[in-house]
Amino acid sequence: MKRYPLIPTLLAICLVNLATAQTNLIPRPAALSLTQGTMDLQCPLSVRAGSEVDPALVELIRADLELTLSPSLQECMDPNELSLDLIRPDTLLPPEWYSLTVTTKHIALVAVDEAGLYRGSRTLAQLFEEGRTSTELPCMSITDSPRFPWRGMHLDASRHFWTVEFTKKYIDLLARYKMNSFHWHLTDDQGWRIEIKKHPKLTEVGAWRKGSQVGPYSRREYDSTTYGGFYTQDQIKEVVAYAKARYINVVPEIEMPGHALAALAAYPELGCTGGHYEVNKGWGVFEEVFCAGNDSTVHFLEDVLTEVMALFPSEIIHIGGDECPKESWKKCPKCQARMKAKGLKDEHELQSDFIQRIEAFVNSKGRKIIGWDEILEGGLAPNAAVMSWRGTEGGVAAAKQKHNVVMSPGSHCYFDHYQGDPANEPLAIGGYTTVQKVYSYEPIPTELNAEEAKYILGAQGNVWTEYILTPEHVEYMAVPRMLALAEVLWTPKAKRNEADFIHRLENEFPKLEAMKVNASKSLYQVSIRPKQGPKPGEIAVEMTLASGGSFSMTEMAPPYDESMAGLAVYSAPVIINSDRELHGWIQREGLTGPISKRRFLFNKATAQKITLSEPPNERYAEGGAFTLVDGITAGEKRVNTEWLGWRGSVTITVDLGSEQDVRTAGIGALNETYSWIHMPDQVEFSTSNDGKTFALQGSQKVKPGVGRRAFKFDVVAKTRYVRFTVKHPGKIPEGYPGAGNPAWMFLDEIEVR
Ligand code: ACM
Ligand code: ZN
């Protein structure tokens, strides 16, 4: 490489800053400096390598770069005007490390391992895409290596099934952003997706369900269309080989002992009761699990794992281990007999015993297991790694016990969660994890010292697909959040900068579009939030854009005819006192964001003075008391900002401002027992003209049904104050998830007419 020692330091610093501005690489390399000159990308490039580099890798890199480069031959002197040398020196450097030196005619890509050459070639491919628009690539020098050895993405192929073709497209995305682990969730209650030759009914029966849950969980509605699919062993090999060529390890997950219904439907004798079992139509956690007291169940799973290990070269095999209810084991004579014989004090120890038997088998074949953090309960298997999903505690506990850990906490790594204001997003399981939040993630928990931190291998983004039905929707949920995670895992912590990342991401969107990847632009979504207005009865609608900058808005009155909408640039909160719909969206050169919409409906209580006898629980208190009179009736997509949650009774009083004729009054409550949310025991409605003495107008007991239920009272009264006295249901009754714990009571919009 030529050197230019005379460049003054100041200029060099400018050039380094320029380098960041001029290259939109994701993930950002550890070190990049611009040198003098440019490479003319209109000329053809010859890729050269010595015999120490696998010819298949050379061919793959050549093919990929040709795709991005498309030179116009005529303008060049020599058909091999530009050259790229792939070099593997015989020196000691970290795995996946590479250096890339671009001069005017020549590129040297150096790495000690082929994975490093491949990662470097991804950098080069992105640089060529950049250069293609200007036809020039600035000369530069990069040295780069990953911060973490496990940079993963997961895909749930059970809840919904993805073709081999789409799975490869997903792997392409991992490859592009230098991720190196693909966690393939192949079995669950709703479908067994991998052919096992010794036990063919796993796919003949277990791969098919008689319908699927549709819509929000709270509705419990199902269609009756047979749904399913599975991968033949040849298809599995094809995907594994495709990933391997891109230096991506495929970690198969075979769920046990829970999430086993698809397998039990195929082989009922593997369960505690022998059936009847069916591949599940609905989402959730189910009591029917593999019997942990039956040796033949363990032998069956050993057969399965034997075939799995033959298909997947991965050193680590994922055995699930999460969400295994213990009810059927408590009632099962075989499970109880094993507990007695082995001196196991509870069912958690029985689960640990089960996992340890599986681990011993996997270890005997020279492989290791990883499991979700529940495998810590009842004692961790001796060599097991832990995937920490229920927060970071599991990861911390495992690292302190000197076990390897992959972090995947729901808070930052669950890409099935909402990524924008749920009011404007397709139905998701819940949560709220923006791309910025993912970018802020630090995989090393603060509780760990430097020695313990070494056990954190990295992190992984999870894409569970209960509510994801199409490949386009998978892409929407995964991208761009996986880009943020890729940078968290690759780039040195000190080099991470959110504003810089968001800027590079903006340049990445057109490329994703060209690759026909349906990336989410929720980052550019306008958030529309109601606040108490300056006077009672007025709402101040505040609109914000997380990515900053100006945006357009319209305000519409009924009948919400778009042609009547006035268009404006948002400048200040919009004050409204009657029914309105507001839209907001960003539009600037090359970038149109999604349109956010909010409709506000007024009744006599809307935006009036409201008081609570007890504040809501801090976990579900975001919008405060105003939430109950904010003009928005909480949707079925359960959103923290739309519902208030209590774990006790509450009295709610609204001052209507003056004496009013009232004919009906109501308040909404949510019944979602799966999430521990139960109906109030009783709601009383009373009225008053002085705000002190209240006259009882009616009382209602718990409403049957699921989802949002309104407690509605027909009254004829002239009143200034209205009051709802809402009685908490107490502890969750037996037979419901969370039995014995205090129930959540969720309330929302008050309606007075
Ligand atoms: C999980 O999300 N149940 C691992
Ligand atoms: Zn049993």
Side-chain angles (χ1 to χ4, degrees):
M1 180 188 112
K2 269 193 217 159
R3 290 206 168 267
Y4 298 90
L6 297 180
I7 294 176
T9 316
L10 197 61
L11 182 57
I13 290 168
C14 290
L15 283 173
V16 170
N17 287 337
L18 200 64
T20 323
Q22 285 187 355
T23 61
N24 287 301
L25 293 167
I26 296 176
R28 186 176 171 175
L32 182 155
S33 55
L34 287 188
T35 52
Q36 252 181 14
T38 56
M39 172 175 268
D40 182 358
L41 292 181
Q42 295 177 93
C43 294
L45 175 87
S46 63
V47 180
R48 306 184 301 212
S51 59
E52 77 282 9
V53 184
D54 180 357
L57 173 61
V58 180
E59 206 32 61
L60 182 67
I61 291 178
R62 182 179 286 133
D64 277 0
L65 295 184
E66 267 169 12
L67 273 182
T68 45
L69 204 51
S70 57
S72 39
L73 260 175
Q74 316 83 300
E75 310 185 18
C76 310
M77 317 257 277
D78 168 348
N80 291 323
E81 179 109 352
L82 309 179
S83 59
L84 163 63
D85 279 309
L86 307 178
I87 303 158
R88 277 186 70 189
D90 196 7
T91 44
L92 220 58
L93 283 163
E96 300 184 271
W97 179 99
Y98 72 92
S99 78
L100 194 57
T101 311
V102 181
T103 56
T104 53
K105 302 278 183 207
H106 181 71
I107 302 168
L109 172 54
V110 179
V112 286
D113 56 7
E114 283 172 345
L117 288 178
Y118 185 71
R119 305 292 173 240
S121 76
R122 296 308 83 197
T123 301
L124 202 49
Q126 286 192 22
L127 287 173
F128 281 177
E129 286 167 2
E130 283 291 304
R132 196 162 52 170
T133 23
S134 61
T135 73
E136 280 182 348
L137 176 65
C139 294
M140 67 179 77
S141 161
I142 293 175
T143 52
D144 201 9
S145 61
R147 180 173 170 211
F148 289 100
W150 186 303
R151 306 179 303 280
M153 282 296 292
H154 149 290
L155 182 61
D156 172 5
S158 175
R159 276 54 176 265
H160 286 98
F161 178 71
W162 314 105
T163 61
V164 167
E165 188 191 3
F166 176 69
T167 308
K168 286 180 177 175
K169 189 181 179 195
Y170 193 75
I171 289 169
D172 284 340
L173 283 168
L174 272 69
R176 179 175 176 85
Y177 304 108
K178 301 188 174 73
M179 291 198 140
N180 65 351
S181 177
F182 172 46
H183 172 168
W184 207 0
H185 187 77
L186 288 166
T187 74
D188 215 302
D189 298 302
Q190 298 80 6
W192 184 282
R193 304 282 176 233
I194 174 172
E195 178 191 23
I196 300 296
K197 298 210 193 259
K198 190 162 177 188
H199 301 295
K201 282 197 283 184
L202 282 172
T203 46
E204 285 165 13
V205 175
W208 307 96
R209 60 179 185 249
K210 293 188 185 128
S212 305
Q213 188 164 352
V214 289
Y217 186 85
S218 55
R219 263 194 237 158
R220 307 283 170 82
E221 286 171 5
Y222 308 85
D223 67 24
S224 52
T225 311
T226 298
Y227 183 93
F230 66 93
Y231 306 106
T232 64
Q233 294 207 347
D234 283 342
Q235 288 177 317
I236 297 272
K237 284 180 201 156
E238 185 183 335
V239 170
V240 169
Y242 190 84
K244 184 167 180 276
R246 287 151 185 81
Y247 299 87
I248 291 171
N249 182 45
V250 185
V251 180
E253 181 180 357
I254 306 297
E255 273 272 21
M256 61 188 81
H259 288 292
L261 260 164
L264 297 184
Y267 295 99
E269 65 273 22
L270 303 174
C272 288
T273 62
H276 174 82
Y277 304 116
E278 283 197 19
V279 184
N280 224 292
K281 293 175 168 188
W283 322 132
V285 174
F286 305 99
E287 282 183 18
E288 299 86 351
V289 301
F290 286 122
C291 178
N294 189 348
D295 287 344
S296 61
T297 303
V298 173
H299 294 143
F300 179 95
L301 290 168
E302 288 174 357
D303 291 343
V304 169
L305 289 169
T306 299
E307 293 191 33
V308 166
M309 285 187 280
L311 292 166
F312 293 89
S314 175
E315 192 197 3
I316 288 199
I317 305 293
H318 203 304
I319 51 78
D322 60 319
E323 299 180 321
C324 180
K326 310 293 189 287
E327 274 69 17
S328 43
W329 294 354
K330 285 181 187 160
K331 295 178 219 144
C332 171
K334 282 176 279 185
C335 286
Q336 292 303 313
R338 180 159 181 100
M339 283 169 63
K340 207 163 168 201
K342 295 282 164 186
L344 305 171
K345 78 170 192 298
D346 61 16
E347 286 73 17
H348 292 295
E349 289 196 358
L350 180 60
Q351 161 142 343
S352 172
D353 169 71
F354 177 91
I355 300 287
Q356 292 196 31
R357 283 208 274 173
I358 295 295
E359 170 172 72
F361 177 76
V362 171
N363 287 172
S364 77
K365 307 292 174 201
R367 311 287 186 97
K368 294 180 180 159
I369 64 162
I370 188 166
W372 300 109
D373 55 55
E374 286 93 331
I375 67 168
L376 280 150
E377 293 162 5
L380 198 47
N383 307 306
V386 168
M387 201 166 258
S388 187
W389 73 280
R390 296 175 304 173
T392 57
E393 295 86 347
V396 169
K400 285 186 183 292
Q401 293 175 44
K402 302 193 191 315
H403 285 250
N404 282 332
V405 172
V406 175
M407 300 302 288
S408 194
S411 57
H412 294 79
C413 295
Y414 268 47
F415 298 166
D416 56 339
H417 288 180
Y418 287 108
Q419 57 194 314
D421 185 342
N424 301 308
E425 290 287 334
L427 178 68
I429 197 164
Y432 188 31
T433 305
T434 61
V435 65
Q436 292 96 330
K437 186 169 181 192
V438 177
Y439 196 80
S440 75
Y441 182 52
E442 171 47 41
I444 306 279
T446 49
E447 296 91 328
L448 299 183
N449 64 33
E451 197 46 44
E452 293 159 346
K454 288 181 188 154
Y455 291 96
I456 307 293
L457 300 181
Q460 175 177 292
N462 292 342
V463 182
W464 301 101
T465 58
E466 289 94 334
Y467 299 90
I468 302 177
L469 277 66
T470 64
E472 293 74 25
H473 196 183
V474 171
E475 292 168 4
Y476 181 88
M477 300 307 275
V479 183
R481 288 184 286 193
M482 71 166 277
L483 282 62
L485 186 62
E487 184 150 312
V488 166
L489 295 171
W490 180 279
T491 306
K493 194 177 171 186
K495 287 271 162 101
R496 255 158 65 191
N497 177 309
E498 184 189 297
D500 182 60
F501 172 74
I502 297 295
H503 175 76
R504 281 176 285 129
L505 187 55
E506 186 162 335
N507 288 293
E508 188 71 3
F509 280 118
K511 294 176 200 158
L512 288 161
E513 210 168 293
M515 290 183 274
K516 298 199 167 25
V517 173
N518 180 37
S520 162
K521 300 255 182 84
S522 304
L523 165 67
Y524 303 112
Q525 199 177 75
V526 173
S527 166
I528 306 177
R529 289 279 166 80
K531 296 269 156 68
Q532 176 66 61
K535 293 207 282 283
E538 291 181 342
I539 295 174
V541 184
E542 204 174 83
M543 299 168 89
T544 51
L545 185 62
S547 62
S550 65
F551 57 88
S552 308
M553 60 157 288
T554 61
E555 179 185 343
M556 278 181 266
Y560 311 110
D561 181 343
E562 307 228 359
S563 67
M564 291 164 63
L567 176 68
V569 172
Y570 176 85
S571 57
V574 183
I575 310 300
I576 58 173
N577 62 12
S578 61
D579 295 0
R580 285 288 181 277
E581 185 171 292
L582 283 100
H583 295 190
W585 69 96
I586 181 176
Q587 189 165 30
R588 57 174 193 258
E589 206 188 325
L591 180 77
T592 305
I595 298 179
S596 298
K597 299 181 183 181
R598 273 274 163 160
R599 188 173 289 185
F600 298 91
L601 298 177
F602 280 71
N603 64 72
K604 288 186 160 79
T606 307
Q608 299 295 343
K609 190 162 176 284
I610 179 169
T611 46
L612 307 175
S613 64
E614 302 299 325
N617 185 284
E618 60 185 357
R619 277 169 67 183
Y620 301 105
E622 194 175 312
F626 178 67
T627 306
L628 303 181
V629 290
D630 66 359
I632 296 172
T633 298
E636 285 181 306
K637 296 173 180 177
R638 187 157 59 77
V639 182
N640 295 0
T641 52
E642 291 183 5
W643 292 96
L644 296 182
W646 279 266
R647 276 188 151 160
S649 298
V650 60
T651 297
I652 303 160
T653 310
V654 182
D655 176 357
L656 302 178
S658 60
E659 234 174 77
Q660 308 263 338
D661 279 320
V662 171
R663 314 223 159 255
T664 65
I667 186 165
L670 185 66
N671 198 20
E672 198 180 290
T673 54
Y674 166 71
S675 309
W676 301 18
I677 303 165
H678 288 248
M679 283 279 102
D681 220 26
Q682 179 176 297
V683 180
E684 283 177 5
F685 177 69
S686 46
T687 56
S688 165
N689 277 321
D690 60 7
K692 296 188 186 90
T693 11
F694 280 80
L696 183 67
Q697 300 285 354
S699 171
Q700 289 178 20
K701 294 297 259 183
V702 51
K703 291 250 161 179
V706 294
R708 184 187 188 272
R709 324 297 303 166
F711 287 81
K712 211 156 189 182
F713 299 88
D714 292 318
V715 282
V716 178
K718 254 193 172 329
T719 184
R720 173 165 172 181
Y721 297 89
V722 294
R723 173 171 282 181
F724 297 91
T725 309
V726 188
K727 191 159 172 277
H728 184 264
K731 290 204 166 103
I732 298 172
E734 279 309 315
Y736 289 95
N741 289 289
W744 284 105
M745 182 173 85
F746 272 37
L747 302 175
D748 84 319
E749 206 66 2
I750 290 171
E751 262 192 69
V752 178
R753 297 192 188 274

